[in-house]
Amino acid sequence: MPSDLLEHARRAKGFMPEDEGDLLYRVARERLPHGPALEVGTYCGKSGIYLGAAAREVSAAGTPATVFTVDHHRGSEENQAGWEHHDTSVVDAEFGLMDTLGQFRKNIARAGLENHVIAIVGQSTTVAAHWRTPLSLLFIDGGHGTEPARDDFLGWPRWVDAGGYLAIHDVFPDPTEGGRPPYEQIYLPALASGQFTEIDVVGSLRILQRTSGSAGDPVG
Ligand code: SAH
Ligand code: MG
């Protein structure tokens, strides 16, 4: 990870430990020459900077590379007032709702990644319903409740290209370490589909490769 961008990633608010961010950067660098990447769960752009760092490098080497990142910017269940990950500095006073879009924009602009990391603002299910582009890398780090996690599994992994990667964050097989939905609703069903094979893991970040089927084919 280039040191200038690592500094920006460190400074951005968010939920991406450095060793996991580094794995994200490495798999993105590997995959981006083959097509765009998409992240579900932008928040303030911390993980987006790791992905964008890879896009910057791949682009400099001659293949224009793009990372799309989807978020309604209103926060997940666990980010709302009264919950563990609530942060009052990302609340819009007029609506009394979270708004992380401004911080995302600042962080990506500061990092010089505006041409590489493209925000899509809206519900993940709505964007997925209209998405048609094969993905070289899909990173799911959106809503961690049972329903949002299941919706993300139904909507997104089918767009991973043959040989492409599905990265899933906050996968905790041991319930004492964290919430279950990313593990039960995304990770296990992806493996059970027979279309994805695990190839790497750091912390709660799992990397699966699409070893059968191709973009557009339903998964599971
Ligand atoms: N990847 C980020 C953390 C993401 S936190 C980082 O590196 O720090 C999860 C994000 O998912 C939140 O910003 C929340 O607004 C978003 N999210 C949750 N459910 C969503 C949904 N149904 N549609 C779009 N975004 C959603
Ligand atoms: Mg996460």
Side-chain angles (χ1 to χ4, degrees):
M1 178 75 182
S3 60
D4 62 321
L5 292 180
L6 183 56
E7 269 319 302
H8 285 286
R10 280 184 181 143
R11 251 177 274 143
K13 245 185 235 306
F15 311 99
M16 183 51 60
E18 219 165 288
D19 54 344
E20 299 175 29
D22 190 67
L23 175 60
L24 203 54
Y25 160 73
R26 284 185 282 121
V27 298
R29 212 177 41 179
E30 209 181 301
R31 292 305 310 166
L32 279 167
H34 306 287
L38 184 138
E39 166 180 72
V40 182
T42 315
Y43 197 59
C44 299
K46 194 182 192 73
S47 47
I49 294 173
Y50 288 99
L51 295 166
R56 187 180 79 177
E57 273 191 30
V58 169
S59 298
T63 317
T66 305
V67 176
F68 295 99
T69 180
V70 180
D71 201 309
H72 49 41
H73 288 279
R74 293 302 189 198
S76 304
E77 217 171 61
E78 62 272 19
N79 307 129
Q80 305 304 322
W83 290 71
E84 182 187 353
H85 295 291
H86 184 61
D87 181 337
T88 50
S89 71
V90 286
V91 173
D92 180 311
E94 180 181 348
F95 301 108
L97 294 172
M98 282 189 57
D99 186 357
T100 49
L101 181 56
Q103 295 227 9
F104 162 79
R105 186 148 221 213
K106 272 191 185 299
N107 288 333
I108 293 300
R110 284 177 185 137
L113 293 173
E114 283 186 307
N115 289 333
H116 299 296
V117 184
I118 309 300
I120 301 175
V121 181
Q123 273 287 348
S124 173
T125 45
T126 307
V127 181
H130 294 276
W131 191 264
R132 296 291 179 272
T133 304
L135 297 170
S136 68
L137 168 67
L138 167 65
F139 173 49
I140 302 186
D141 191 21
H144 287 2
T146 300
E147 218 177 280
R150 188 192 299 126
D151 287 344
D152 281 340
F153 175 72
L154 294 173
W156 287 110
R158 63 184 303 178
W159 296 109
V160 176
D161 237 341
Y165 293 175
L166 165 61
I168 312 165
H169 201 222
D170 304 303
V171 173
F172 299 111
D174 177 351
T176 64
E177 287 179 13
R180 299 290 275 174
Y183 174 69
E184 287 177 343
Q185 307 297 330
I186 305 173
Y187 173 81
L188 289 180
L191 291 178
S193 74
Q195 297 194 43
F196 290 89
T197 308
E198 184 162 337
I199 56 164
D200 213 338
V201 51
V202 170
S204 74
L205 177 62
R206 304 283 178 142
I207 312 293
L208 278 50
Q209 181 170 34
R210 191 160 196 181
T211 42
S212 86
S214 62
D217 298 344
V219 173

